[in-house]
Amino acid sequence: MDRRAARVAAVVEWARGLAARVSGTRVVAVEGRSGAGKTELARELAVAFGAPLIRMDDLYPGWDGLRGGVTALHDWVLRPLAAGEPVRWLSWDWAADRYADAWHEVPRTGSLVVEGVGCGARVLAPYVSGLVWIEVPDALRRERALARDGATYEPHWERWARQEDEFYGTDDVRGRADLIIDGSADS
C-alpha cells in the first residue's frame, strides 16, 4: 500500500469512529485552501461510506461567493438535515453565472461528506461530526489548481485567494480541525 492509500485508509478508519451529530447522520467536512487535495480525499471517503458527497464548488454563487456557499450549505443541506426535513440543493452554473433550475435531492444515509473551502465554517460546526484540514504549501496548491482547472481558474486565482485569506482570517477553521493532514506528498 502506498503512502497516500495508507493515509486515506487511516482517515476512513478515523471517520468510522465519529458519532452522528444530526438526525442519525455523521457529517464529515474536508477543508483546506484551493488546490490542497480536498476533492480526492472526500470522494474516497464518500465511496468508503456509500455516502452522498456535496462539493462547495457546486454551491458558491460565483467567483465572489465563498461566504454565499457557506450559507447555501447551511440553509439547503445541514439545517434541513438536522430538522429531519428534505435535503436538497441547487448547483451554480458557472457558464450562465446563476444557480441552475433543478434541485439535487440528497438521500438520507448514515453519512454525508462535504468538501471545499468554507465547509468547516464556525457556523456549520454544530452539524459536523468531524473536520479534516488538508495542509499544502501555497506554491504547490497553485500549481495543482491551475493544472486541474487551467485557463478557467487562472484569471480568478488571486481574487479567490483574497476571499480565502479574509475568511480564514476571521474563522480559524484549521485551528478547530479534528484532523490535520499534510497533503503535499500527494503530487
Side-chain angles (χ1 to χ4, degrees), residues 46-161:
V47 168
F49 293 121
L53 169 62
I54 297 178
R55 300 173 55 242
M56 294 297 290
D57 284 353
D58 293 328
L59 300 178
Y60 304 130
W63 288 108
D64 296 311
L66 192 157
R67 289 197 182 271
V70 171
T71 300
L73 182 61
H74 177 270
D75 293 353
W76 293 341
V77 178
L78 299 177
R79 187 195 48 75
L81 179 68
E85 299 169 357
V87 176
R88 60 191 194 139
W89 55 276
L90 291 171
S91 63
W92 183 257
D93 182 333
W94 290 88
D97 198 33
R98 65 176 177 79
Y99 280 108
D101 295 329
W103 288 93
H104 299 272
E105 302 292 326
V106 180
R108 287 190 177 269
T109 64
S111 298
L112 172 65
V113 179
V114 293
E115 74 84 13
V117 176
C119 73
R122 186 179 306 107
V123 68
L124 307 176
Y127 307 98
V128 174
S129 301
L131 173 58
V132 178
W133 174 270
I134 302 179
E135 185 77 24
V136 175
D138 291 346
L140 179 55
R141 288 188 311 96
R142 181 183 174 103
E143 178 184 313
R144 286 178 179 175
L146 296 181
R148 177 190 67 212
D149 298 324
T152 302
Y153 192 6
E154 190 168 20
H156 304 285
W157 175 264
E158 293 300 326
R159 179 180 181 182
W160 187 257

